[in-house]
Amino acid sequence: MKENFARLPLSLAVSLLLPALAHAQDAILDRVIVTAPTAPGFASAATVDGEALPALRAATSDTASLLRAIPGVSVYGAGGVSSQPVVRGLGDDRLRVKVDGMDLISACGNHMNPPLSYIDPSNVADVQVFAGISPVSLGGDSLGGAVVVDSPDPGFAAAGEAPLRKGELGAFYRSNGDARGVNAAATVAGENLSVRYRGSVTEANNYRAGDDFKPAGAAAAGRGWLAGDEVGGSGYESTNQSLAVALRHANHLLELKAGVQDIPYQGWPNQRMDMTGNDSEQLNLRYKGAFDWGALDARAYQERTRHKMQFGEDKLYWYGPTPAADGVPCAPAGGMSGCAAGMPMDTRGENEGLSLKADLALSAHDLLRIGSEFQNYRLDDWWDPSGKGMWPETFRNINNGERDRYAVFGEWEAAWNPHWTTLFGLRHETVKMNAGRVQWYNPAAAAFQADAEAFNAAERSRTDHNVDIVALACFTPDASRSIEFGYAQKTRSPNLYERYAWSTNGMAMRMVNMAGDGNGYVGSLELEPETAHTLSASFDWHDAAGKGWSIRLAPHFTYVDGYIDAERIAEAGAEEFVYLRFANQSARLHGVDLSGHALLARQEGIGSFTARGSLSYVRGKNRTTGDNLYNIMPLNAKLALEHRFGGWTNTVEGEFVSAKNKVSAERNELATAGYGLLHLRSSYVWKQVRVDVGVENVFDRYYAHPLGGAYTGSGKTMSATGVPWGVAVPGMGRSIYAGVNIGF
């Protein structure tokens, strides 16, 4: 931890200033009063409000997991800070995920650095999830919902008052995996100028399951020892820092944010490689202002990512034909031609974006949103030779990959009367993609170079013209009922790996895997965009005040033409890892989300008791092959009893998941058993101090999460048969946590 704290120089300076700021402890960090374009206020937008977020932060370092309380949202298993949300069966690039308004892109063949991994939970102020139909103003190039995550707004001193000085220090500890971390924030602001710093450090060792799921022993030859319940390749370390400067004048705001991330390592229990470095730099410039005719929002951002993969501490590093007595499986006499020192894999991503949006007040009841967006993305993915026949050249997986997006949209929201509101949107997006020439390590190796030569001879430039259409209506007959229903056509072009990963060599294919299933994948130049047609509705009943009770039922149906699934390129058995090619097929998803709450009792002296619950079901089917879609969450539910009294909040929550038997046969997806978990949480807030404690998985129950993927976290992971097929990544066993946050 000492080395980690050295990565927070500004936070140390802030801590030295805190005593001098104590006199300002009662100051309030005002939110900006500038009116700015906002997302439509339809019921399909679910939020994790600022009151609930602090309690969730203490239990996780993974921002995506903050969304799990929202009906219809689940999480793909991945690294400790890099999980990905799934909304009604659609995840990864099929969702539009915005972080502080930026469309970030995962620069990795395994998608180890998804957008939400670039913001620490301690820096999250607002979360919105459009689980149903997302408006075209929230972005295109996606099929499912939209996830919008924002850090805190800048604060300013009140007019005529002394400068605002505000600070925050926080720390947490979680027993499972010995996870620990700190965060710091400071704001200094006048009436028109605000400067804010935020920083966080978190790290953890491998976590433990509720029971043994593999034999205890050496993780791999020459590696350390793993207990039977220890999940190899699940430790991590992450540092995030940001500095923001904002200027305010009347109804205008200009803000510049600079952010850096350093992840020196992050293990991956469902990938054959680990992250051994992820350095990112971000600049985000935003203007928003209010005028007589409406509001304007403009943004320009830039992201630079340098990503590295290699074998972590639990995966075999030396590869060669003759195992040596010292555990290094490579005969020294064999020379470098017969010995591989790991397998370095490097990625460089450059992402630049511009957006301009305007809200035009056509009348007192009509609002027109118009806008344009541009995104320029470049990707290089190369693997330096490490021996064993790889010499003398560098493997080019994606060489000068290009993916540019140009979009325009218009959206009309109208309140016809107190009962009816409608929204109609149209978006056109041009996606241009290309990639340069590639090569195998040794161009003289004809068997491996043949794929490269065929790829280089092919026409690689692609241009897609995609159209999104949204029609939504909301009917509110009275203060206790509302109905929302609509239709959307959404289109997504393939990502660079789906189109341009070119090698059918088994080793190379296993390094292109965005699914966490242990299989190998190759791209296809013939891929066309996916087009989804979605029908969605929500029925909401509640008391007139909206606080006593509520019930919400939301059925949904989606048909996807050109769904990018996978087909095998070689015969394989039913119990082994397989090799697949991305292919356009068709798919259907349907399901329902049910949620609600009820105030059970409120009495002076004992506080209030509220019951909360949610249930979600989604079914995914490949209509071309008749197979089940991969990574679909089975029927699941949460039930919680919440007690509030003064500054205390206490929660008992049960989490229930049914068995997953409808699995993808094409991918040899693993079935999982049903399970139930109990969680206990408590928090206390007193003035500027907040304390959170809790126990996750109270009874230390062993379970395999249905979206956790196949376990490849230890052993000889590069080999097709080096890790056993059929072991699912287990969920975390009992974890006791505590967190404290102090504001100044």
Side-chain angles (χ1 to χ4, degrees), residues 234-252:
S234 59
Y236 59 85
E237 179 181 326
S238 176
T239 299
N240 291 276
Q241 298 186 85
S242 66
L243 183 66
V245 179
L247 294 172
R248 180 180 67 172
H249 177 68
N251 289 326
H252 305 276

Side-chain angles (χ1 to χ4, degrees), residues 492-508:
R492 178 187 80 96
S493 289
N495 63 41
L496 288 172
Y497 288 99
E498 289 169 331
R499 262 189 176 152
Y500 295 127
W502 55 272
S503 179
T504 57
N505 172 267
M507 176 275 294

Side-chain angles (χ1 to χ4, degrees), residues 182-201:
V182 296
N183 61 273
T187 297
V188 178
E191 292 183 32
N192 301 307
L193 174 65
S194 175
V195 179
R196 182 177 74 251
Y197 166 81
R198 301 189 74 90
S200 62
V201 171

Side-chain angles (χ1 to χ4, degrees), residues 98-101 119 123-127 148-152 257 299:
K98 290 182 176 291
V99 178
D100 279 338
I119 182 169
N123 195 25
V124 174
D126 297 293
V127 175
V148 182
V149 175
D150 292 308
S151 58
K257 292 182 181 179
R299 186 184 303 274

Side-chain angles (χ1 to χ4, degrees), residues 175-224:
S175 64
N176 199 324
D178 194 29
R180 60 273 188 199
V182 296
N183 61 273
T187 297
V188 178
E191 292 183 32
N192 301 307
L193 174 65
S194 175
V195 179
R196 182 177 74 251
Y197 166 81
R198 301 189 74 90
S200 62
V201 171
T202 180
E203 68 173 311
N205 302 326
N206 290 340
Y207 72 83
R208 292 180 179 269
D211 203 349
D212 292 350
F213 68 98
K214 57 178 174 51
R223 296 301 201 178

